[in-house]
Amino acid sequence: MTSSVIEVRDLRKTFKLGDQIVNAVDGVSFTIQPGEIVGIVGPSGSGKSTLLGLLGGLDKPDGGTVTLDGAEISRLNERELTNIRNEKLGFVFQFFNLIPNLTALENVALPIEFARRAKFKPQQRATELLTHFGLADRLRHRPNQLSGGQQQRVAIARALANNPPILLTDEPTGNLNSEASALVISTLRQVRQDFGTTVIIVTHDPDVAGEADRMLTLVDGRLVD
């Protein structure tokens, strides 16, 4: 049996809101196998983005464990987490988060230049990825010269720069029209098919969630059937 690439056990995260304690993630457990596309869905405020932040080591849990590709990240220090994020994880967000004064090529090359042990030549890898996603004629364009869908594909290429086994995406189509959204979802399927990457998609869009192999539904911080 294939070992899981993500293993979450009894994960908990609480926040204080005034006099109230909010259980944003409340005893969540699941595993994800290599190469799966998994949607995380649920109503607003259900804990989806909090869970994604815990999976990505962007926040520390109050209890439970997160194991990514064999590394138990829940208790690592910030330096160790930075290395894990650079080597094992790619992030894609709703608003692209591209550096505005850099070209598409420079944006994608950047994670390789910051890698502890660079596996690729930055410019060559960036060119290959952008070409792979149909952006060969946009290498020298800055973000404000690209459409929303093109910017998101650049963001996906940047997230894959160091060939991480896991891609975490938070509302990746939330800022796009329907045509661009369809192209981005097609690109995420292509990522799994061509690179074997495990893709996690946090979304409120049922059409996007429907493209996943399976869905995890959160309500009030808990997984429900």
Side-chain angles (χ1 to χ4, degrees):
M1 183 177 175
T2 306
S3 60
S4 55
V5 72
I6 297 175
E7 184 173 341
V8 173
R9 288 285 171 255
D10 197 27
L11 196 62
R12 299 174 184 276
K13 183 67 181 179
T14 60
F15 296 104
K16 192 169 184 181
L17 192 62
D19 295 330
Q20 271 192 319
I21 299 295
V22 178
N23 296 310
V25 175
D26 190 6
V28 168
S29 299
F30 59 87
T31 59
I32 294 175
Q33 302 305 313
E36 275 195 290
I37 298 179
V38 176
I40 299 177
V41 299
S44 179
S46 61
K48 302 187 299 296
S49 292
T50 300
L51 176 57
L52 198 74
L54 294 169
L55 294 180
L58 301 174
D59 202 359
K60 284 190 176 290
D62 295 320
T65 60
V66 177
T67 303
L68 301 179
D69 197 32
E72 205 278 274
I73 69 167
S74 313
R75 296 169 183 86
L76 298 182
N77 63 38
E78 190 53 42
R79 182 177 180 181
E80 292 167 329
L81 281 171
T82 297
N83 292 332
I84 289 288
R85 287 192 291 262
N86 194 260
E87 295 170 4
K88 294 188 180 292
L89 296 167
F91 294 90
V92 177
F93 300 99
Q94 178 176 348
F95 293 105
F96 322 133
N97 291 356
L98 300 175
I99 298 174
N101 62 334
L102 298 184
T103 65
L105 187 70
E106 291 165 340
N107 265 285
V108 176
L110 204 58
I112 305 170
E113 294 167 357
F114 281 106
R116 260 191 322 171
R117 297 183 293 269
K119 295 180 279 188
F120 306 100
K121 295 178 179 177
Q123 299 279 313
Q124 180 180 334
R125 173 69 170 172
T127 300
E128 289 171 353
L129 284 168
L130 289 167
T131 300
H132 192 80
F133 295 132
L135 295 166
D137 59 343
R138 295 291 187 269
L139 301 183
R140 306 294 174 187
H141 287 60
R142 288 183 168 79
N144 65 1
Q145 298 170 306
L146 301 171
S147 69
Q150 289 169 341
Q151 289 186 67
Q152 194 61 297
R153 279 182 285 155
V154 172
I156 292 169
R158 180 183 59 184
L160 296 171
N162 287 317
N163 196 31
I166 302 163
L167 184 63
L168 302 177
T169 72
D170 193 359
E171 300 285 4
T173 63
N175 202 34
L176 302 174
N177 62 31
S178 57
E179 183 179 352
S181 294
L183 186 53
V184 166
I185 292 304
S186 173
T187 300
L188 292 175
R189 286 200 304 267
Q190 184 182 0
V191 166
R192 188 262 296 273
Q193 176 181 319
D194 296 347
F195 302 108
T197 311
T198 302
V199 181
I200 314 300
I201 307 173
V202 165
T203 183
H204 68 276
D205 186 333
D207 292 333
V208 174
E211 298 292 338
D213 299 324
R214 63 187 173 103
M215 287 184 282
L216 301 175
T217 303
L218 278 178
V219 176
D220 295 331
R222 295 183 178 183
L223 284 179
V224 299
D225 292 332

